């Protein structure tokens, strides 16, 4: 069909092509700008994530380094040469607790039940779960003193964090500076016991457990204090000496250093007769020792 529209001139067609080319160029430039913004935003986000990961790794490495230095590494020491908790027994360094449920108290002339423990030891956790109420009943009787020996024989089982020493060091600090909170802290540590072969609890986790057990913040602060210019913790030499003393005392009693070990009036508990896993057997053993 014929049309009256005039055909564009060569000049018009050239101008239209230029306009279209310019539009395409502008659109291409906008797309490239958007792509650059997206790429830069993605790079910034990736760098931010990488920075967080690096910070976490460095923090973990720093914590691990501090924790790994917590254990005593000096020359062998005895209890008479170290800073002991003020509530510790002079004879063997154990922490006595009697009917008042306060560290440093004893039942005059009564039966003594020594409990050798390591906070990383899973069987110690089982013992605590099965016998905490029996130990409480024995203390409440008024003629039984329970002596706690928080030793460190399983630092090797905490992936280089010296958890056993750090936990025992914290227990020593509580026994020394907040003796009325010692039992609560001891119970809470076993209630939150980590698995053997892991890194154990961090210093921050131990601090939170202590705080929930009622230990004052100024005492908690002592948990991570070092012994003068030495890298180890304040009570780490005591923990080391206590562990050595435990080995000597248990050998003299006719048994080996292991946890948990229960000694009643100087004699190791005969678990073939008094299986502490059975409710009431520990009390039965103590009553037999009294007779």
């Amino acid at each position: 069909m014929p049309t009256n529209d005039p055909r564009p001139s060569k000049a018009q067609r050239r101008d239209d092509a230029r306009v279209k080319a310019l539009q395409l160029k502008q659109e291409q430039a906008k797309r490239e700008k958007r792509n650059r913004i997206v790429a830069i935003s993605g790079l910034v986000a990736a760098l931010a994530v990488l920075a967080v990961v690096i910070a976490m790794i460095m923090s973990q490495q720093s914590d691990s380094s501090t924790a790994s230095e917590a254990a005593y590494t000096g020359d062998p020491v005895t209890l008479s040469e170290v800073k002991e908790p003020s509530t510790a027994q002079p004879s063997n360094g154990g922490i006595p607790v009697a009917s008042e449920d306060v560290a440093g108290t004893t039942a005059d002339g009564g039966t003594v039940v020594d409990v050798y423990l390591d906070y990383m030891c899973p069987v110690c956790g089982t013992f605590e779960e099965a016998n905490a109420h029996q130990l409480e009943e024995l203390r409440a009787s008024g003629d039984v003193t329970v002596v706690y020996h928080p030793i460190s024989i399983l630092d090797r089982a905490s992936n280089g964090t010296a958890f056993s020493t750090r936990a025992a060091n914290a227990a020593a600090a509580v026994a020394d500076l907040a003796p009325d909170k010692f039992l609560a802290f001891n119970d809470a540590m076993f209630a939150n016991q980590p698995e053997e072969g892991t890194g154990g609890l961090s210093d921050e986790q131990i601090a939170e457990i202590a705080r929930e057990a009622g230990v004052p913040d100024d005492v908690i602060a002592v948990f991570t204090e070092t012994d003068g210019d030495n890298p180890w913790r304040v009570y780490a030499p005591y923990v080391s000496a206590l562990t050595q003393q435990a080995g000597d005392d248990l050998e003299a009693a006719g048994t080996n250093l292991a946890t948990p070990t229960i000694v009643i009036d100087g004699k190791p508990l005969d678990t073939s007769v008094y299986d502490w896993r059975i409710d009431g057997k520990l009390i039965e053993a103590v009553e037999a020792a009294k007779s």
Side-chain angles (χ1 to χ4, degrees), residues 42-224:
L43 179 61
V44 170
L47 289 173
V49 172
L50 180 61
V52 171
V53 171
I54 291 173
M56 290 176 63
I57 291 173
M58 292 181 66
S59 175
Q60 290 172 353
Q61 289 177 338
S62 175
D63 290 345
S64 178
S65 175
T66 301
S68 66
E69 296 176 338
Y72 176 72
T73 55
D75 294 332
V77 288
T78 62
L79 288 168
S80 63
E81 300 173 300
V82 301
K83 174 183 173 61
E84 292 183 280
S86 57
T87 52
Q89 293 186 149
S91 58
N92 60 17
I95 309 297
V97 184
S99 59
E100 298 89 339
D101 285 348
V102 176
T105 57
T106 59
D108 292 339
T111 300
V112 176
V113 178
D114 288 279
V115 179
Y116 295 84
L117 61 95
D118 186 311
Y119 289 109
M120 178 60 93
C121 164
V123 186
C124 294
T126 302
F127 174 83
E128 174 71 15
E129 183 178 3
N131 293 282
H133 67 289
Q134 294 190 68
L135 293 173
E136 181 180 5
E137 184 176 336
L138 288 168
R139 292 192 304 268
S141 69
D143 61 352
V144 175
T145 299
V146 179
V147 182
Y148 295 84
H149 302 256
I151 62 176
S152 172
I153 60 174
L154 290 175
D155 274 342
R156 55 180 169 73
S158 59
N159 295 337
T161 71
F163 172 71
S164 293
T165 290
R166 290 187 295 113
N169 174 82
V174 176
D176 190 14
L177 305 172
D180 60 324
K181 304 301 180 184
F182 174 75
L183 284 178
F185 177 72
N186 178 76
D187 293 347
M189 285 295 288
F190 279 116
N192 293 276
Q193 186 181 42
E195 291 186 8
E196 185 178 8
T198 69
L201 302 174
S202 68
D203 289 335
E204 291 76 13
Q205 288 172 314
I206 294 174
E208 185 56 32
I209 289 169
R211 192 170 290 111
E212 291 180 0
V215 179
D217 284 339
D218 60 336
V219 177
I220 294 172
V222 178
F223 292 1
T224 53

Side-chain angles (χ1 to χ4, degrees), residues 199-268:
L201 302 174
S202 68
D203 289 335
E204 291 76 13
Q205 288 172 314
I206 294 174
E208 185 56 32
I209 289 169
R211 192 170 290 111
E212 291 180 0
V215 179
D217 284 339
D218 60 336
V219 177
I220 294 172
V222 178
F223 292 1
T224 53
E225 288 184 2
T226 55
D227 183 19
D229 294 331
N230 298 305
W232 51 76
R233 303 288 166 87
V234 171
Y235 295 95
Y238 160 73
V239 174
S240 177
L242 184 68
T243 304
Q244 180 60 51
Q245 184 67 48
D248 294 342
D249 291 346
L250 291 175
E251 182 180 4
T255 189
N256 298 320
L257 176 63
T259 56
T261 295
I262 314 304
V263 177
I264 302 174
D265 281 345
K267 296 180 179 180

